[in-house]
Amino acid sequence: MNEWFIHHEKGMQSFQEEADSWEKKCIILCSLLLGLVLSGCGVQTTPEIIMPDEPMQSSVNSTQQTGPETEKAENQQQTSGKNYKVYLITMDLTDSYWKSIDDGCQQAISELGNITYKWIGPDAHDDAQQSACVDEAVADNANAILIAANSAEGINDSLKKAEEAGCKIVYVDSAASYDCVTALATDNVEAGRTAAETMKTALQEKGITSGTIGVMGVTEDTASCVARETGFREAFEGTGFTLADTVYMRDDAANVKNAVKDGLAEDYVGFFGTNEGTTVNLGEAVKEAGAETAVIGFDTSDAVLSLVSEGVIYATMQQNPTVMGHDGVTIAIQSLEGSYTDTNTKTDTGVTVITRDSM
């Protein structure tokens, strides 16, 4: 069960104070869970990642130990004693991807202490609803907001109000165009190149040195997937392989499945899916056809991982949302404490290649 608030209190308290505190927390937790049930009935969505235009670089100072992989004893950083209020605002509350960011946030909070934390978000990808979430955080006197921006421009007015109220802004996964402390996300062009190199390995294992590869996207305007495709195509330049024109799913799984059938009929040697939805539908189409072809995808939903474990999908690119959440909170607190003074820095949180052998 998620803990919506983590509040570290120092000093001795009486038994009655402890009892009163826990009673209040139980009431708040029950209210939040009820609200989530009522608001979490939207359609399951795949996060569309909006990347900053410039290449990503590390935002973490060499003297600052961050990242959940680092041993807790090495990265334990207590705050100065002041209690901070931190909000995580995602594009919605229904995708397990956002839960992974929340997990990372809570890891950092358990290490740092003295933080009141809340995760909120709209029930659909909507600028107006997400702006309302930012306004809610500001009204609640949030000191820092970690946000996966729904669009590059649509929530900037609310972010401006947040900054004017003294709130630190950290982007996780998706960056808007408004100024921030730092943005932590996947460098999608580089991730596309990694996917391409993985495809080359899969084809080499089959002894294939030439042929046509199908590419599946979401829409022409989905920035994250376009960037992944760019990196993927760049990596195949000068090789014996031809990359077919991109087929866009546009919220219709049949577009991908029909394209896969057509590609198999034309002896395509492989297929690349640029997000979770295209990857799942691509893999299902290959499985239904009983074909053996190299499939490389993105993201790690249960459906994707099941297809990887069956050998239908050769590999999928796993992003690192837990790192985004963990390091986002850490840097936000460092900024509030004055030990992190940079602005508008960018961190590539990277991808991990998941194959059946590595599962």
Side-chain angles (χ1 to χ4, degrees), residues 97-141:
Y97 183 87
W98 307 128
K99 177 59 174 65
S100 296
I101 294 181
D102 170 59
D103 289 343
C105 290
Q106 297 207 46
Q107 287 180 13
I109 289 163
S110 67
E111 295 166 5
L112 295 168
N114 290 348
I115 299 171
T116 300
Y117 170 72
K118 188 175 183 180
W119 172 27
I120 63 174
D123 56 8
H125 291 205
D126 181 86
D127 287 343
Q129 290 187 38
Q130 193 175 54
S131 291
C133 290
V134 176
D135 295 342
E136 176 185 334
V138 174
D140 195 30
N141 298 313

Side-chain angles (χ1 to χ4, degrees), residues 236-293:
F236 273 100
E237 291 177 0
T239 69
F241 296 97
T242 300
L243 271 61
D245 292 339
T246 305
V247 174
Y248 295 103
M249 186 166 65
R250 295 191 181 91
D251 295 324
D252 187 352
N255 291 337
V256 169
K257 292 187 175 182
N258 290 335
V260 171
K261 292 177 182 178
D262 292 341
L264 291 173
E266 297 177 22
D267 295 324
Y268 282 17
V269 295
F271 296 91
F272 173 49
T274 58
N275 80 331
E276 180 181 354
T278 56
T279 300
V280 171
N281 290 303
L282 200 169
E284 288 178 347
V286 169
K287 182 177 179 179
E288 290 170 7
E292 291 187 7
T293 185

